[in-house]
């Protein structure tokens, strides 16, 4: 758990960004075509990623999967961490990066903006081993084209103080309609994508709104979610995007109920906090990250080699355990230090995974299949989030 704490602590100081890379030369693919083979590495690859995804031993000498990659491929890794998906998109669009680990609230923006390229998955020998429920999804596949290698995944859980919240909650209603019971001590994730959590709750409890997908909201549905979140705002003590600070708030009692990640719960329990987590009755939002390649990269061979390497059992196990998430490759489970790790993170549990609505960028084309309506896009969600927080 110490290594996870170290990683999450890094999130607090990382730049708030997600960035996009460029198209391929050096054996790469022209626009609209797929790369047909992977040649010799170009000698380097620049990577944007969540802190803890690209470790070379500098944070912890015992945590290093970059050095073996360079030794194997000859590709030197230049890494830049980001702290939020919004920052990542901004950075990627500078064209300075070859590869990015994009969460679902960033990937469609990068695809729509032409910032990343389709990937020939048949060239990646570890792809067949990836859990089927992570493949060909809305956040990594568009018009039948795959845009990258699935990475780790997890749910946005409900965490509560067992000595402060009784009876134990079973629904997200405890932080929405029931938030007044914990006024000033409710916490929520600080991002426009959190609007989807409210939409998921409304989807289950207000069927008359006809919400079928929490990331596909027309103007009326978005307005209902915003209204719910404005009501919740009166009872929120703090919004978080740094899990370490969130854990500290639960330990001190400043927060007693709200969203978290499994790694946050693990850290809190290791520190002696009286907390429990659950996947509420409505299900939950969550994330499934994708390693994507920039549309204009000049290092496409090294980029492909990284996508394949990071999904290999040994590397995937190391990343998942260090960061605190389920691996994408089930073969990684036999290689984790904690032999109960994959059980804790529900790896391979398709039933559990089916209850998660993975982050997906809201776009004008309704993701629920509607053709008689226009949905609100991420820019509208961003504006709404500013209004919600005041």
């Amino acid at each position: 758990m110490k290594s996870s704490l170290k990683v999450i602590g890094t999130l607090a100081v990382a730049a708030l960004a997600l960035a996009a890379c460029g198209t391929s030369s050096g054996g790469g693919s022209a626009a609209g075509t797929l790369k047909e083979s992977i040649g010799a590495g170009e000698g380097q690859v620049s990577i944007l990623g969540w802190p803890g995804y690209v470790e070379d031993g500098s944070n912890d000498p015992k945590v290093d999967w970059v050095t073996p990659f360079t030794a194997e491929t000859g590709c030197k890794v230049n890494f830049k961490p980001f702290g939020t998906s919004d920052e990542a998109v901004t950075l990627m669009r500078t064209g300075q990066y070859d590869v990015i680990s994009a969460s679902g609230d960033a990937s469609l923006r990068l695809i729509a903006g032409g910032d990343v390229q389709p990937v020939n998955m048949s060239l990646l020998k570890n792809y067949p081993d990836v859990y089927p429920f992570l493949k060909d999804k809305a956040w990594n596949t568009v018009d039948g084209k795959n845009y990258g290698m699935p990475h780790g995944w997890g749910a946005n859980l409900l965490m509560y103080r067992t000595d402060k919240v009784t009876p134990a909650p079973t629904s997200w209603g405890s932080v929405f309609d029931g938030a007044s019971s914990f006024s000033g001590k409710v916490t929520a994730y600080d991002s426009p994508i959190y609007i989807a959590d409210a939409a998921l709750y409304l989807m289950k409890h207000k069927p008359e709104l006809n919400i079928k997908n929490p990331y596909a909201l027309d103007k009326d549905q978005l307005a209902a979610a915003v209204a719910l979140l404005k009501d919740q705002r009166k009872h929120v003590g703090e919004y978080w995007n740094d899990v370490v600070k969130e854990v500290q708030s639960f330990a001190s009692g400043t927060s007693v109920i709200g969203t978290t990640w499994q790694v946050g719960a693990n850290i809190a329990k290791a520190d002696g906090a009286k907390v429990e987590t659950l996947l509420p009755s409505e299900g939950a939002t969550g994330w499934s990250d994708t390693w994507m390649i920039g549309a204009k990269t000049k290092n496409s061979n090294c980029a492909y080699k990284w996508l394949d390497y990071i999904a290999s059992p040994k590397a995937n196990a190391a990343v998942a355990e260090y960061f605190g998430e389920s691996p994408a490759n089930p073969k990684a489970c036999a290689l984790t230090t904690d032999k109960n790790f994959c059980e804790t993170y529900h790896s391979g549990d398709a039933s559990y995974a089916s209850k998660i609505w993975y982050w997906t960028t809201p776009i004008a084309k309704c993701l629920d299949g509607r053709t008689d309506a226009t949905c609100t896009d991420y820019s509208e969600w961003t504006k709404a989030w500013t209004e919600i927080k005041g």
Side-chain angles (χ1 to χ4, degrees):
M1 228 46 260
K2 290 181 180 177
S3 58
S4 292
L5 180 57
K6 205 175 286 183
V7 172
I8 301 301
T10 306
L11 281 166
V13 296
L16 303 176
L18 249 171
C21 306
T23 56
S24 223
S25 64
S29 55
T33 63
L34 284 178
K35 188 175 177 68
E36 296 180 356
S37 63
I38 302 174
E42 298 85 359
Q44 64 179 352
V45 62
S46 57
I47 301 176
L48 276 173
W50 293 104
Y53 273 14
V54 187
E55 291 295 313
D56 62 1
S58 56
N59 288 321
D60 184 336
K62 292 183 268 187
V63 181
D64 181 3
W65 48 87
V66 169
T67 300
F69 169 75
T70 299
E72 177 184 316
T73 65
C75 302
K76 179 183 177 182
V77 173
N78 299 303
F79 173 56
K80 182 175 179 61
F82 55 78
T84 69
S85 288
D86 289 347
E87 185 191 4
V89 170
T90 300
L91 287 173
M92 194 64 175
R93 287 178 175 165
T94 66
Q96 298 176 34
Y97 305 96
D98 302 308
V99 174
I100 184 170
S101 67
S103 293
D105 57 335
S107 56
L108 288 186
R109 282 186 275 171
L110 295 172
I111 294 170
D115 302 301
V116 291
Q117 62 178 272
V119 175
N120 186 345
M121 307 307 290
S122 68
L123 300 180
L124 306 178
K125 65 180 182 295
N126 288 296
Y127 183 66
D129 292 332
V130 169
Y131 288 119
F133 58 79
L134 298 178
K135 297 178 179 179
D136 304 318
K137 299 302 180 182
W139 60 87
N140 60 31
T141 304
V142 174
D143 295 333
K145 296 178 181 178
N146 293 108
Y147 280 84
M149 177 69 85
H151 183 69
W153 62 277
N156 297 316
L157 302 169
L158 179 62
M159 183 160 72
Y160 64 98
R161 279 278 298 259
T162 57
D163 57 338
K164 305 288 185 182
V165 179
T166 55
T170 59
S171 162
W172 287 112
S174 58
V175 295
F176 288 122
D177 290 333
S180 59
S181 298
F182 314 104
S183 192
K185 296 189 175 184
V186 174
T187 188
Y189 188 57
D190 190 3
S191 169
I193 206 67
Y194 183 65
I195 291 172
D197 290 57
L200 176 60
Y201 178 71
L202 292 172
M203 184 168 73
K204 302 297 184 179
H205 294 277
K206 288 199 173 181
E208 65 271 19
L209 290 171
N210 203 32
I211 297 173
K212 303 299 183 184
N213 181 322
Y215 304 102
L217 306 180
D218 60 33
K219 291 188 181 299
D220 291 339
Q221 292 166 338
L222 177 64
V226 169
L228 181 63
L229 288 166
K230 284 183 175 179
D231 285 341
Q232 183 198 52
R233 177 70 183 94
K234 303 168 189 174
H235 308 294
V236 171
E238 61 182 9
Y239 292 95
W240 67 273
N241 53 30
D242 175 358
V243 173
V244 168
K245 291 181 179 177
E246 188 215 18
V247 167
Q248 292 169 345
S249 294
F250 271 88
S252 67
T254 302
S255 297
V256 300
I257 193 166
T259 52
T260 195
W261 298 329
Q262 184 63 52
V263 66
N266 292 350
I267 294 169
K269 286 186 176 183
D271 289 344
K274 297 178 180 178
V275 299
E276 288 294 341
T277 60
L278 71 148
L279 188 73
S281 57
E282 299 88 357
T285 60
W287 77 93
S288 173
D289 294 343
T290 303
W291 287 104
M292 310 180 87
I293 299 175
K296 297 178 181 177
T297 177
K298 295 179 180 177
N299 301 304
S300 68
N301 292 327
C302 281
Y304 265 77
K305 289 175 186 292
W306 175 262
L307 262 63
D308 203 23
Y309 171 81
I310 203 64
S312 64
K314 188 174 181 180
N316 202 217
V319 180
E321 194 163 21
Y322 186 66
F323 186 83
E325 62 187 358
S326 172
N329 188 338
K331 291 182 178 179
C333 291
L335 301 176
T336 56
T337 302
D338 175 4
K339 296 310 174 185
N340 295 318
F341 180 83
C342 281
E343 182 179 355
T344 299
Y345 284 83
H346 301 276
S347 303
D349 187 341
S351 176
Y352 181 90
S354 70
K355 299 172 184 175
I356 302 171
W357 288 87
Y358 298 97
W359 283 344
T360 306
T361 309
I363 57 176
K365 180 182 178 181
C366 293
L367 297 170
D368 58 6
R370 278 181 290 174
T371 57
D372 59 348
T374 299
C375 282
T376 52
D377 63 18
Y378 192 77
S379 66
E380 293 174 90
W381 284 39
T382 300
K383 180 181 177 182
W385 187 245
T386 301
E387 294 174 358
I388 289 162
K389 292 185 64 180

